[in-house]
Amino acid sequence: MSQHPWTGGFVHEALGVRITSDPNALLPVEDLVGLALRRNPRRAHLLVSRVLAKHVPTEPALVLAAGELLGSLAGAALGSTVNEAVLRSVAAEVQAVLRGEGAAVDGDARGAGARPAAGRSARARLMHAREQLWDLPISHPEVLTIGYAETATGLGRLVADSLGSYYIHSTRHAPDGALAYGAFEEAHSHATSHRLLPTDPALLNGNVPVVLVDDELSTGATVINTVAELHAAAPHPVYVVASLIDLRSDADRARFDELAAELGCRIEVVALGIGRIELGEDILARAQHVIAALPAAAGNDGADPAAAEATAQKPGTLTVLDAAKDCQRPLRSDRFGNPAGMSSQYLGTLPEALPGAVSGEDLAVVAAALRAALPSGAGPVLVLGCEEFIHVPLTVANALAETGPVRFSTTTRSPIVPIDRPDYAINNSVDFASHDLTEDGHGPRHAYNVGPRLGSTQGTGGSAVGFGSIVLVPEPGTDLASITGPGSVTEALRAVTPAVVVLLAPADLPAADEWAGHPAAAPAAVPVAAVPLTGPEFGSYAAEDVTWLLKDLRDAQLEAPTAEREAAIQSGGANYAESLPMEYLPSAQYQDLYEEALVRSAPRVAAAVGTVTELALAARNREPVLVSLARAGTPIGILMRRWAQQMHGLDLPHYTMSIVRGVGMDETALRYLASRYDPARILFVDGWTGKGAITRELTAALEKFEATDGVRFSAQLAVLADPGHSVELFGTREDYLIPSACLNSTVSGLVSRTVFNKELIGPEDFHGAKFYSHLAAADVSRDFLTAVSAHFDAVRAAAVAHAAELAGTDRTPTWVGWAAVERLSEEYGIQNVNLVKPGVGETTRVLLRRVPWKVLVHPAARTDVAHVLLLAEQRGVPVEEVPDLPFSCVGLIHPRFTAGAVGADGKAVAGAAAGAGAPAGSGAASGADA
């Protein structure tokens, strides 16, 4: 029996999750996996593998033995003559190690009196088992093997190496110029989109058997989607599904048979462990209750108690080894597809020409350099791969393990609740910001069981004192700056270990001409010139908050005096987006008004964020890709992303892009999105509506894009406030102060409004913007987000109830805002709806960026628009009270603009209104977009 309790015991007792194993399988499922709680509204539990090294630091030889054993099963399914006695002998050795017979494989302290079986260490038993597999007559170079990202990319490579086959794994990375062969959905995952990016798609089109490799089969839905898509592109005679465990129900198994009959092919499944899983009643609700009841020290707030304690200590050292000068060749990622080759033995026997792996000579050099860099006598070493990059770091860990205790694991995007107890699989968490450019953007990443155990000395990962040092092996070609500094993976690791060593490897990236020959239906590549931006290099928001689909124009001279800009705009000589207004820095008095407004409005804004996010999740099957319209939409998109993450455990991609009235949407940005996501998932986000100009601009621009590019995006727009009644997804239709409308860049990530100037923006560029880094001292962008999100828990029930209420009502736009603006334009003799800006947000913009003529205010709203009244006073703009105004306020741009409409100090001169010849009067107004 095992020396340790089953690491699924807590979840079994708390949620009623029960696993039973098929006695005829090679290994019991309970030996192969433990259980943990997910932060994911689709699934409450997570099967945590003990042989995959994704979430549990593991002896490298155990990972290799399990993968090669699975590869042998796949070889038998493909027709190789395999002695079953050998397979069961190897499985018995693996099981003995998993049960603690031999030196510990997971870094635990072993029970007193436990002795290594037969005098052999766990590693010795595993190496002996692997040697038995290497002697099996398995060779299938004609086969196509595909691994699933992110969890099974390394496992897939081990299976492919056992078969000697071509290998490619799916990916969520988004390399420049890459063209997708296919995509498929992993329905239960927190991040669902996968793509295949072969440089030679012909290798996927052959009439050959396909082996699909994953770590677990729960329902098989992902496999069914994959087989259907692959077969539609190019029929294959046989599909072998190789998984560490298979827990499908009878109904799920029948669906595989039905699909095979429908396609006229054979689908066969092999697994190390086979069984069934029973989920308790109301498991999702029960899981949320269990998580909510956990004390903060047990991970209820996502904090890692081990890391929290360690941060009080001196951070570990950081050493960087650059392998580029020592390695004979750079590494070609398996995501691009690599040809057949046998690499199971790794040390000294690896073919030099095999891409995607470190040669024997290079591996020896790297291992020697690492041993020299690691502190001696500091405890066990952890080698940590990064997300999809698993196979090469595993081989490095295995080489290091020849001379001392080493465990292997990788970082992950999976959000899991850590609980420090021996009958639970995930004991602690180290969290940090991602550094890879993936199709769903930046977001939080994690490394589990890498910190010290505080509650006990028993369990699955690390040890009572943690790891003495950690070797981080990021993707080849990773920029060191992206993994160092505040919030980075190295900073997080330095908090829990005395020494961090980073191993940088050179990358062999496909050249542009290697993508030739792809199917015509493949999405067009986004030009290399269009490179997304993230903070802190661009903007003051964290990288995981938003990815900017913008061109950095910080060095361009774009600001012009307000009078000059207004004259050019109204004369038709320029579009308002060709230049920028002078950036407004608030006075101390105005800043105080903003702070007061934020305190007063934050709970109201939080409730509206919750309502619109709940509606948005329902509108996009809980999988929206948020694309905010810069710049007013950016903070709202971030808040919506945070609501989805905090309340539902969803890690939503969030981008921001440009839309320009009179020009349309940034089509390069649309092509970027279309190349990475199902267009049906895209949801555009803005701050508020007024008369609905941006809503109309959005619809027209997307219709034009569909006509030119053949890609259809939904014109549905989600906004925080919709006083103009021009959208269906909104948090409220009241016209009240949204504090982020009070300021310019200092509440919007220090980024300017967007620029479309053909002298600076080429046909393959994103629209542009400036990063005002010199205004950092006045920046309140993150403070605004914190102030609003602090109220999420308090308003959750009301927001969810309001969203449910709205879902059952008719929210069809009535465009009352547009009608009101037309009426105001006529009543005030303006005769131009673009000069009438209704609503608090738009009135504020008029006073900050345009030449204002008048401000109309509802008498009951004076307290809510105090900042508007102050700005009007400072700029000498007359304010009229209009009792029947259906908005809090309306800003009127000067309708007969000349240079004389503003004084030398930029203020409107007295009597300018009379000079314009507009009749006095009152009327209704409507909110308008920028």
Side-chain angles (χ1 to χ4, degrees), residues 134 262 275 799 930:
W134 298 343
E262 177 186 339

Side-chain angles (χ1 to χ4, degrees), residues 830-865:
I830 296 176
Q831 309 303 327
N832 185 346
V833 293
N834 290 330
L835 302 183
V836 180
K837 301 293 185 180
V840 181
E842 295 308 309
T843 303
T844 303
R845 288 180 171 190
V846 169
L847 291 165
L848 291 177
R849 300 204 294 252
R850 304 296 291 271
V851 177
W853 177 38
K854 293 182 179 182
V855 172
L856 312 180
V857 176
H858 194 290
R862 293 187 73 93
T863 300
D864 283 338
V865 298

Side-chain angles (χ1 to χ4, degrees), residues 41-42 185 189-193 439-441 612-628 637 640-645 648-655 673 677-685 714 716 718 729:
R42 296 187 187 92
E185 297 295 312
S189 175
H190 60 281
T192 60
S193 294
E439 63 177 7
D440 52 351
V612 71
T613 307
E614 295 295 326
L615 292 174
L617 292 175
R620 291 296 185 277
N621 193 32
R622 303 183 70 81
E623 298 179 347
V625 175
L626 302 177
V627 181
S628 55
M640 291 176 66
R641 184 183 185 278
R642 291 190 176 186
W643 178 280
Q645 190 171 55
H648 300 286
L650 297 173
D651 189 12
L652 301 183
H654 176 220
Y655 297 88
L673 294 168
Y677 299 99
D678 178 353
R681 292 180 60 193
I682 304 299
L683 179 64
F684 297 101
V685 175
S714 170
Q716 198 171 38
L729 301 180

Side-chain angles (χ1 to χ4, degrees), residues 396-430:
V396 171
N398 189 54
L400 286 177
E402 291 296 311
T403 57
V406 173
R407 300 295 175 261
F408 173 68
S409 186
T410 80
T411 66
T412 176
R413 60 177 57 208
S414 299
I416 310 172
V417 179
I419 306 175
D420 191 13
R421 51 185 295 161
D423 60 348
Y424 186 80
I426 301 298
N427 305 131
N428 52 69
S429 172
V430 173

Side-chain angles (χ1 to χ4, degrees), residues 5-11 33-37 46-50 55-57 416-428 448-449 453 459-462:
W6 180 45
T7 57
F10 175 78
V11 177
V33 298
L35 292 169
L37 297 172
L46 177 74
L47 296 166
V48 181
S49 176
R50 298 183 65 208
H55 307 109
V56 177
I416 310 172
V417 179
I419 306 175
D420 191 13
R421 51 185 295 161
D423 60 348
Y424 186 80
I426 301 298
N427 305 131
N428 52 69
Y448 294 113
N449 291 356
R453 298 291 312 281
T460 54

